[in-house]
Amino acid sequence: MARVNSIARSWSSSQSQSWKEPLNCRATAEPHMLWKINSGSSFFWWDSWTGLGPLAVFLQKGTMPGNTLVNEFIHENKRDTEKLLNTVPAPLHNLIERIHINDPSKPDTCIWTINSDGKFTCASPRELTRKRKDTNDTLNNLWYKRLPFKIAFLNWRVMRKKLPLDDIVSKFGQNIVSRCNCCPNPQSETLDHLFVHGDIAKNIWQYFANSLGIKISNINLHLSWRDICVIVDNYRNQISSCLMYWDRPITQQFKINTDGSSLIQMKKAGAGGIRRNKEGRMILAYSEYLEFCSNNRAEIEAALIGLKYSSSLGLNNIIFEMDSKLMVV
Ligand SMILES: [Zn+2]
């Protein structure tokens, strides 16, 4: 009885597990092997030499093709047509007739079809068999080259839940009383609490949101990169507007519109103003940073600065217009 060809062998539960994996790899690699016919030393039924894979699959079920070699159908560099007709299913005849016979003095050679030069390399089957995990854009974007490595690494640990926080440590059987260090009333130390919901985290998020003039809500550390992009894309500066009328000053008068502003959280204040003539043309405009002060103080400073500039230019007969109820009587 002919031995089962190695290509047709399958794994059975009585065989070792370490044998199972090579057999799995064989199924992946075999379709990428093509035998180039020289002397016909390839297996007729089992080696892929026609480009269709093993010809054994075209036989009727239950047929046991032996380890016949291709050269049993070739005599003196010519095909044994009669034998082929009697052995091979009819649809394959034309294909086999077209197979080129190369150098009969050499054994058949195997072409590794993945590489353009047909030569086998260890790297190419590895690419075929390795199981790649789905790429995660959020994690990939953490490794931004201008970000210090320690920051990128911290971000990675946050995203992958690799920080030794109380909730994670307790999963390893450590019974600990969890208390955060970020809130006046300590709560459980969890990843979300430390980086999103805790007092310090909320202040930090708020600080940067204010700097950008946006309002943020529903921060989630576990969003996909696509969702993050959608959220960021939807952030808009909070701008409100209303219709205003500006009355021109009468002849010989100038009008100065002033405004002062104080941002408590950013500890910043500033003042500015604009002076126009009776035609509405701008004569003077100014804006200045102030030492941090109240809104009312900033409004007063805005008017004083306007007065100072006007006086230095010798401009009198001024009307002030501002939105401070404290200043406007
Ligand atoms: Zn806290």
PDB file of all heavy atoms in Angstrom, residues 179-199:
ATOM      1  N   ARG A 179      -8.422  55.029  48.070  1.00  0.00           N
ATOM      2  CA  ARG A 179      -8.684  56.454  48.338  1.00  0.00           C
ATOM      3  C   ARG A 179      -7.821  57.270  47.384  1.00  0.00           C
ATOM      4  O   ARG A 179      -6.603  57.100  47.349  1.00  0.00           O
ATOM      5  CB  ARG A 179      -8.295  56.823  49.774  1.00  0.00           C
ATOM      6  CG  ARG A 179      -9.226  56.278  50.833  1.00  0.00           C
ATOM      7  CD  ARG A 179      -8.551  56.370  52.191  1.00  0.00           C
ATOM      8  NE  ARG A 179      -8.292  57.756  52.578  1.00  0.00           N
ATOM      9  CZ  ARG A 179      -9.166  58.515  53.226  1.00  0.00           C
ATOM     10  NH1 ARG A 179     -10.337  58.019  53.568  1.00  0.00           N
ATOM     11  NH2 ARG A 179      -8.868  59.741  53.551  1.00  0.00           N
ATOM     12  N   CYS A 180      -8.465  58.135  46.638  1.00  0.00           N
ATOM     13  CA  CYS A 180      -7.693  58.951  45.699  1.00  0.00           C
ATOM     14  C   CYS A 180      -7.010  60.095  46.455  1.00  0.00           C
ATOM     15  O   CYS A 180      -7.354  60.387  47.600  1.00  0.00           O
ATOM     16  CB  CYS A 180      -8.609  59.516  44.614  1.00  0.00           C
ATOM     17  SG  CYS A 180      -9.671  60.843  45.207  1.00  0.00           S
ATOM     18  N   ASN A 181      -6.048  60.722  45.816  1.00  0.00           N
ATOM     19  CA  ASN A 181      -5.359  61.869  46.410  1.00  0.00           C
ATOM     20  C   ASN A 181      -5.696  63.166  45.696  1.00  0.00           C
ATOM     21  O   ASN A 181      -5.005  64.164  45.847  1.00  0.00           O
ATOM     22  CB  ASN A 181      -3.837  61.647  46.349  1.00  0.00           C
ATOM     23  CG  ASN A 181      -3.404  60.530  47.256  1.00  0.00           C
ATOM     24  OD1 ASN A 181      -3.774  60.489  48.418  1.00  0.00           O
ATOM     25  ND2 ASN A 181      -2.645  59.588  46.717  1.00  0.00           N
ATOM     26  N   CYS A 182      -6.748  63.115  44.868  1.00  0.00           N
ATOM     27  CA  CYS A 182      -7.004  64.302  44.043  1.00  0.00           C
ATOM     28  C   CYS A 182      -8.249  65.078  44.477  1.00  0.00           C
ATOM     29  O   CYS A 182      -8.523  66.141  43.918  1.00  0.00           O
ATOM     30  CB  CYS A 182      -7.121  63.905  42.574  1.00  0.00           C
ATOM     31  SG  CYS A 182      -8.369  62.657  42.230  1.00  0.00           S
ATOM     32  N   CYS A 183      -8.982  64.567  45.428  1.00  0.00           N
ATOM     33  CA  CYS A 183     -10.228  65.257  45.819  1.00  0.00           C
ATOM     34  C   CYS A 183     -10.231  65.508  47.328  1.00  0.00           C
ATOM     35  O   CYS A 183      -9.686  64.710  48.085  1.00  0.00           O
ATOM     36  CB  CYS A 183     -11.439  64.401  45.463  1.00  0.00           C
ATOM     37  SG  CYS A 183     -11.467  63.890  43.754  1.00  0.00           S
ATOM     38  N   PRO A 184     -10.853  66.609  47.774  1.00  0.00           N
ATOM     39  CA  PRO A 184     -10.978  66.856  49.216  1.00  0.00           C
ATOM     40  C   PRO A 184     -11.728  65.721  49.908  1.00  0.00           C
ATOM     41  O   PRO A 184     -11.400  65.340  51.028  1.00  0.00           O
ATOM     42  CB  PRO A 184     -11.782  68.153  49.291  1.00  0.00           C
ATOM     43  CG  PRO A 184     -11.664  68.782  47.946  1.00  0.00           C
ATOM     44  CD  PRO A 184     -11.447  67.684  46.967  1.00  0.00           C
ATOM     45  N   ASN A 185     -12.716  65.185  49.250  1.00  0.00           N
ATOM     46  CA  ASN A 185     -13.415  64.008  49.776  1.00  0.00           C
ATOM     47  C   ASN A 185     -12.980  62.795  48.964  1.00  0.00           C
ATOM     48  O   ASN A 185     -13.512  62.562  47.870  1.00  0.00           O
ATOM     49  CB  ASN A 185     -14.932  64.169  49.664  1.00  0.00           C
ATOM     50  CG  ASN A 185     -15.412  65.376  50.449  1.00  0.00           C
ATOM     51  OD1 ASN A 185     -14.969  65.606  51.576  1.00  0.00           O
ATOM     52  ND2 ASN A 185     -16.272  66.172  49.834  1.00  0.00           N
ATOM     53  N   PRO A 186     -11.975  62.068  49.453  1.00  0.00           N
ATOM     54  CA  PRO A 186     -11.386  60.985  48.637  1.00  0.00           C
ATOM     55  C   PRO A 186     -12.423  59.977  48.158  1.00  0.00           C
ATOM     56  O   PRO A 186     -13.355  59.613  48.876  1.00  0.00           O
ATOM     57  CB  PRO A 186     -10.393  60.339  49.602  1.00  0.00           C
ATOM     58  CG  PRO A 186     -10.083  61.382  50.609  1.00  0.00           C
ATOM     59  CD  PRO A 186     -11.354  62.167  50.762  1.00  0.00           C
ATOM     60  N   GLN A 187     -12.206  59.561  46.922  1.00  0.00           N
ATOM     61  CA  GLN A 187     -13.057  58.536  46.330  1.00  0.00           C
ATOM     62  C   GLN A 187     -12.182  57.389  45.849  1.00  0.00           C
ATOM     63  O   GLN A 187     -10.961  57.452  45.957  1.00  0.00           O
ATOM     64  CB  GLN A 187     -13.851  59.133  45.164  1.00  0.00           C
ATOM     65  CG  GLN A 187     -14.770  60.260  45.622  1.00  0.00           C
ATOM     66  CD  GLN A 187     -15.522  60.888  44.467  1.00  0.00           C
ATOM     67  OE1 GLN A 187     -15.916  60.215  43.536  1.00  0.00           O
ATOM     68  NE2 GLN A 187     -15.723  62.182  44.533  1.00  0.00           N
ATOM     69  N   SER A 188     -12.815  56.367  45.294  1.00  0.00           N
ATOM     70  CA  SER A 188     -12.039  55.223  44.816  1.00  0.00           C
ATOM     71  C   SER A 188     -11.092  55.661  43.706  1.00  0.00           C
ATOM     72  O   SER A 188     -11.481  56.425  42.816  1.00  0.00           O
ATOM     73  CB  SER A 188     -12.973  54.142  44.270  1.00  0.00           C
ATOM     74  OG  SER A 188     -13.735  53.619  45.310  1.00  0.00           O
ATOM     75  N   GLU A 189      -9.871  55.147  43.782  1.00  0.00           N
ATOM     76  CA  GLU A 189      -8.877  55.509  42.768  1.00  0.00           C
ATOM     77  C   GLU A 189      -9.032  54.593  41.558  1.00  0.00           C
ATOM     78  O   GLU A 189      -8.613  53.435  41.586  1.00  0.00           O
ATOM     79  CB  GLU A 189      -7.467  55.386  43.342  1.00  0.00           C
ATOM     80  CG  GLU A 189      -6.402  55.904  42.410  1.00  0.00           C
ATOM     81  CD  GLU A 189      -5.009  55.559  42.893  1.00  0.00           C
ATOM     82  OE1 GLU A 189      -4.667  54.360  42.886  1.00  0.00           O
ATOM     83  OE2 GLU A 189      -4.272  56.474  43.281  1.00  0.00           O
ATOM     84  N   THR A 190      -9.665  55.117  40.542  1.00  0.00           N
ATOM     85  CA  THR A 190      -9.808  54.361  39.295  1.00  0.00           C
ATOM     86  C   THR A 190      -9.222  55.203  38.162  1.00  0.00           C
ATOM     87  O   THR A 190      -8.958  56.398  38.334  1.00  0.00           O
ATOM     88  CB  THR A 190     -11.289  54.074  38.966  1.00  0.00           C
ATOM     89  OG1 THR A 190     -11.933  55.335  38.725  1.00  0.00           O
ATOM     90  CG2 THR A 190     -11.990  53.351  40.103  1.00  0.00           C
ATOM     91  N   LEU A 191      -9.036  54.550  37.042  1.00  0.00           N
ATOM     92  CA  LEU A 191      -8.454  55.252  35.897  1.00  0.00           C
ATOM     93  C   LEU A 191      -9.324  56.443  35.476  1.00  0.00           C
ATOM     94  O   LEU A 191      -8.834  57.555  35.279  1.00  0.00           O
ATOM     95  CB  LEU A 191      -8.331  54.268  34.724  1.00  0.00           C
ATOM     96  CG  LEU A 191      -7.352  54.641  33.629  1.00  0.00           C
ATOM     97  CD1 LEU A 191      -5.929  54.620  34.149  1.00  0.00           C
ATOM     98  CD2 LEU A 191      -7.493  53.694  32.456  1.00  0.00           C
ATOM     99  N   ASP A 192     -10.619  56.195  35.378  1.00  0.00           N
ATOM    100  CA  ASP A 192     -11.526  57.262  34.951  1.00  0.00           C
ATOM    101  C   ASP A 192     -11.583  58.385  35.975  1.00  0.00           C
ATOM    102  O   ASP A 192     -11.679  59.557  35.619  1.00  0.00           O
ATOM    103  CB  ASP A 192     -12.937  56.698  34.716  1.00  0.00           C
ATOM    104  CG  ASP A 192     -13.028  56.026  33.360  1.00  0.00           C
ATOM    105  OD1 ASP A 192     -12.355  56.500  32.432  1.00  0.00           O
ATOM    106  OD2 ASP A 192     -13.726  55.016  33.244  1.00  0.00           O
ATOM    107  N   HIS A 193     -11.529  58.007  37.254  1.00  0.00           N
ATOM    108  CA  HIS A 193     -11.584  59.052  38.276  1.00  0.00           C
ATOM    109  C   HIS A 193     -10.339  59.932  38.198  1.00  0.00           C
ATOM    110  O   HIS A 193     -10.431  61.164  38.206  1.00  0.00           O
ATOM    111  CB  HIS A 193     -11.693  58.428  39.666  1.00  0.00           C
ATOM    112  CG  HIS A 193     -11.706  59.459  40.750  1.00  0.00           C
ATOM    113  ND1 HIS A 193     -12.824  60.195  41.061  1.00  0.00           N
ATOM    114  CD2 HIS A 193     -10.714  59.922  41.555  1.00  0.00           C
ATOM    115  CE1 HIS A 193     -12.539  61.053  42.015  1.00  0.00           C
ATOM    116  NE2 HIS A 193     -11.262  60.901  42.344  1.00  0.00           N
ATOM    117  N   LEU A 194      -9.178  59.283  38.113  1.00  0.00           N
ATOM    118  CA  LEU A 194      -7.917  60.025  38.135  1.00  0.00           C
ATOM    119  C   LEU A 194      -7.755  60.934  36.926  1.00  0.00           C
ATOM    120  O   LEU A 194      -7.234  62.037  37.032  1.00  0.00           O
ATOM    121  CB  LEU A 194      -6.752  59.027  38.180  1.00  0.00           C
ATOM    122  CG  LEU A 194      -5.519  59.464  38.965  1.00  0.00           C
ATOM    123  CD1 LEU A 194      -5.877  59.826  40.377  1.00  0.00           C
ATOM    124  CD2 LEU A 194      -4.473  58.366  38.933  1.00  0.00           C
ATOM    125  N   PHE A 195      -8.213  60.475  35.756  1.00  0.00           N
ATOM    126  CA  PHE A 195      -7.945  61.225  34.521  1.00  0.00           C
ATOM    127  C   PHE A 195      -9.159  61.954  33.949  1.00  0.00           C
ATOM    128  O   PHE A 195      -9.021  62.684  32.988  1.00  0.00           O
ATOM    129  CB  PHE A 195      -7.359  60.288  33.465  1.00  0.00           C
ATOM    130  CG  PHE A 195      -5.957  59.853  33.786  1.00  0.00           C
ATOM    131  CD1 PHE A 195      -5.732  58.687  34.498  1.00  0.00           C
ATOM    132  CD2 PHE A 195      -4.875  60.631  33.419  1.00  0.00           C
ATOM    133  CE1 PHE A 195      -4.448  58.292  34.817  1.00  0.00           C
ATOM    134  CE2 PHE A 195      -3.588  60.246  33.734  1.00  0.00           C
ATOM    135  CZ  PHE A 195      -3.370  59.074  34.441  1.00  0.00           C
ATOM    136  N   VAL A 196     -10.345  61.715  34.532  1.00  0.00           N
ATOM    137  CA  VAL A 196     -11.537  62.364  33.968  1.00  0.00           C
ATOM    138  C   VAL A 196     -12.400  63.037  35.038  1.00  0.00           C
ATOM    139  O   VAL A 196     -12.667  64.234  34.966  1.00  0.00           O
ATOM    140  CB  VAL A 196     -12.409  61.336  33.190  1.00  0.00           C
ATOM    141  CG1 VAL A 196     -13.624  62.047  32.589  1.00  0.00           C
ATOM    142  CG2 VAL A 196     -11.603  60.662  32.097  1.00  0.00           C
ATOM    143  N   HIS A 197     -12.805  62.246  36.024  1.00  0.00           N
ATOM    144  CA  HIS A 197     -13.858  62.740  36.917  1.00  0.00           C
ATOM    145  C   HIS A 197     -13.341  63.368  38.216  1.00  0.00           C
ATOM    146  O   HIS A 197     -14.091  64.060  38.899  1.00  0.00           O
ATOM    147  CB  HIS A 197     -14.818  61.597  37.262  1.00  0.00           C
ATOM    148  CG  HIS A 197     -15.419  60.960  36.040  1.00  0.00           C
ATOM    149  ND1 HIS A 197     -16.166  61.673  35.141  1.00  0.00           N
ATOM    150  CD2 HIS A 197     -15.359  59.687  35.572  1.00  0.00           C
ATOM    151  CE1 HIS A 197     -16.552  60.872  34.161  1.00  0.00           C
ATOM    152  NE2 HIS A 197     -16.070  59.663  34.394  1.00  0.00           N
ATOM    153  N   GLY A 198     -12.089  63.108  38.579  1.00  0.00           N
ATOM    154  CA  GLY A 198     -11.547  63.664  39.822  1.00  0.00           C
ATOM    155  C   GLY A 198     -11.441  65.186  39.738  1.00  0.00           C
ATOM    156  O   GLY A 198     -11.449  65.763  38.645  1.00  0.00           O
ATOM    157  N   ASP A 199     -11.303  65.825  40.894  1.00  0.00           N
ATOM    158  CA  ASP A 199     -11.277  67.291  40.915  1.00  0.00           C
ATOM    159  C   ASP A 199     -10.117  67.860  40.100  1.00  0.00           C
ATOM    160  O   ASP A 199     -10.283  68.809  39.333  1.00  0.00           O
ATOM    161  CB  ASP A 199     -11.179  67.785  42.370  1.00  0.00           C
ATOM    162  CG  ASP A 199     -12.523  67.652  43.071  1.00  0.00           C
ATOM    163  OD1 ASP A 199     -13.469  67.153  42.420  1.00  0.00           O
ATOM    164  OD2 ASP A 199     -12.616  68.031  44.253  1.00  0.00           O
TER     165      ASP A 199
END
